[in-house]
């Protein structure tokens, strides 16, 4: 999709040679050319062919298991316009976009996507497969669980925990712990039922 163009440019800026795109969902794209790159299906990849990153989707960890079965390894993209503290650790398959600032003693897991302009403070742990959307501000001594999603411009205050697979809506301000799988929104952030909201939006 269109996000692949952005990640491709991030990868090139980070010094990688981009060979092609892997299609996970739409078989009609396989064999086409998108963003001047050949599109191949995940099941058509040769075994042990190289390194990849997974740019989008909520199931990146599951996709990685499929790639690992075929002997593919994870690449890491850290854009040169990002500022990463020398004591910070970044896992394999993780993408760090331009304008990101990562503080001291912070650990970012594998297959994490950190969007443009995100501020990540000191002594933070971000779990595998998490998505941190552009402009989020994560305070020090916080924990973001595996496959959690932090919305654009959200604020996570110091010392709080966002549980695994939890969702923080865009612009929310998290001032207390968010339970695993919980969805929160607003200022301050409170739980909400996204299914109820969806039905209300389509109600006559």
């Amino acid at each position: 999709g269109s996000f692949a163009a952005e990640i491709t440019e991030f990868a090139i800026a980070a010094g990688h040679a981009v060979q092609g795109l892997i299609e996970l969902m739409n078989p009609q794209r396989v064999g086409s050319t998108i963003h001047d790159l050949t599109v191949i299906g995940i099941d058509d990849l040769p075994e042990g062919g190289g390194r990849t990153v997974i740019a989008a989707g909520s199931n990146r960890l599951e996709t990685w298991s499929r790639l690992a079965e075929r002997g593919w390894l994870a690449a890491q993209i850290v854009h040169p316009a990002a500022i990463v503290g020398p004591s910070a650790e970044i896992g394999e398959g993780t993408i760090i976009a331009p304008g990101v600032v990562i503080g001291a003693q912070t650990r970012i897991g594998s297959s994490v996507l950190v969007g443009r302009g995100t501020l990540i403070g000191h002594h933070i742990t971000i779990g595998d497969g998490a998505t941190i959307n552009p402009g989020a501000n994560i305070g020090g001594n916080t924990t973001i669980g595996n496959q959690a999603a932090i919305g654009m411009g959200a604020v996570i205050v110091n010392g709080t925990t966002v549980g695994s697979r939890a969702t923080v809506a865009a612009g929310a301000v998290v001032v207390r712990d968010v339970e695993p799988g919980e969805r929160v929104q607003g200022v301050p952030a409170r739980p909400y039922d996204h299914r109820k909201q969806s039905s209300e939006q389509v109600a006559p």
Side-chain angles (χ1 to χ4, degrees):
S2 57
F3 190 47
E6 186 163 72
I7 299 302
T8 295
E9 292 187 358
F10 292 174
I12 293 170
H16 297 284
V18 181
Q19 300 298 315
L21 302 175
I22 302 170
E23 177 57 51
L24 303 177
M25 300 177 64
N26 185 354
Q28 294 182 342
R29 290 177 173 170
V30 175
S32 66
T33 300
I34 299 177
H35 312 310
D36 297 324
L37 294 167
T38 301
V39 179
I40 188 171
I42 189 170
D43 295 326
D44 299 323
L45 289 172
E47 293 190 4
R51 294 182 178 271
T52 63
V53 293
I54 303 170
S58 59
N59 59 343
R60 289 195 297 276
L61 297 182
E62 290 85 349
T63 302
W64 267 122
S65 66
R66 295 176 64 188
L67 291 167
E69 289 174 357
R70 305 186 71 85
W72 282 69
L73 302 174
Q76 183 191 89
I77 297 175
V78 179
H79 196 282
I83 299 173
V84 180
S87 60
E89 299 179 12
I90 299 173
E92 294 183 344
T94 287
I95 299 169
I96 307 296
V100 172
V101 178
I102 300 174
Q105 301 295 328
T106 282
R107 183 193 177 278
I108 298 178
S110 63
S111 195
V112 174
L113 176 61
V114 182
R116 291 170 276 108
T118 296
L119 303 179
I120 299 175
H122 59 88
H123 296 86
I124 290 171
T125 299
I126 298 179
D128 298 342
T131 300
I132 315 297
N133 283 289
N137 189 343
I138 302 175
N141 296 295
T142 61
T143 299
I144 308 297
N146 293 344
Q147 294 181 280
I150 309 300
M152 296 178 70
V155 175
I156 315 297
V157 302
N158 294 7
T160 51
T161 295
V162 176
S164 297
R165 295 184 181 271
T167 299
V168 176
V173 177
V174 172
V175 298
R176 63 158 185 85
D177 291 351
V178 178
E179 297 299 320
E182 190 174 36
R183 295 169 178 259
V184 298
Q185 66 179 9
V187 181
R190 295 183 175 87
Y192 72 97
D193 187 339
H194 72 287
R195 293 166 298 184
K196 180 179 179 181
Q197 286 194 342
S198 298
S199 64
E200 289 174 349
Q201 289 172 357
V202 298

